[in-house]
């Protein structure tokens, strides 16, 4: 099981701050696609992904037991 934490507008779109994915292994790109389909999230282009507190690239493999955070870009003043 993969635990995924959502932040900012992603949390609002999904209606929850964390979700679990019952899959043994998938890439960051596959995870993004699955989350967009399953939770009707907006495009995840530009969203930073951290796997076990390390920023990750699209082709990194996520395995069962990993913790993932999706962090959208933030603007401020």
């Amino acid at each position: 099981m993969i635990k995924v934490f959502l932040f900012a507008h992603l949390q609002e779109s999904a209606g929850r701050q964390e979700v679990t994915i019952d899959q043994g292994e998938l890439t960051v790109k596959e995870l993004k696609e699955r989350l967009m389909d399953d939770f009707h999230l907006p495009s995840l282009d530009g969203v930073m992904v951290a796997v076990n507190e390390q920023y990750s690239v699209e082709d990194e493999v996520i395995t069962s037991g990993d913790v993932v955070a999706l962090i959208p870009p933030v603007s401020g003043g």
Side-chain angles (χ1 to χ4, degrees), residues 2-77:
I2 299 167
K3 185 181 282 191
V4 181
F5 290 100
L6 305 170
F7 294 93
H9 73 276
L10 300 176
Q11 190 177 88
E12 293 170 13
S13 294
R16 57 186 79 182
Q17 66 186 126
E18 86 178 54
V19 298
T20 54
I21 303 295
D22 190 20
Q23 187 162 339
E25 184 176 289
L26 70 166
T27 65
V28 168
K29 182 178 179 179
E30 292 168 335
L31 174 68
K32 285 179 168 183
E33 291 168 354
R34 181 161 176 185
L35 290 171
M36 286 188 297
D37 289 343
D38 291 355
F39 297 97
H40 309 292
L41 295 178
S43 173
L44 295 178
D45 291 340
V47 171
M48 297 295 298
V49 178
V51 178
N52 299 323
E53 299 182 9
Q54 297 290 318
Y55 285 113
S56 303
V57 293
E58 295 280 302
D59 60 350
E60 183 166 335
V61 176
I62 303 165
T63 59
S64 184
D66 285 344
V67 176
V68 179
L70 271 63
I71 308 158
V74 197
S75 63

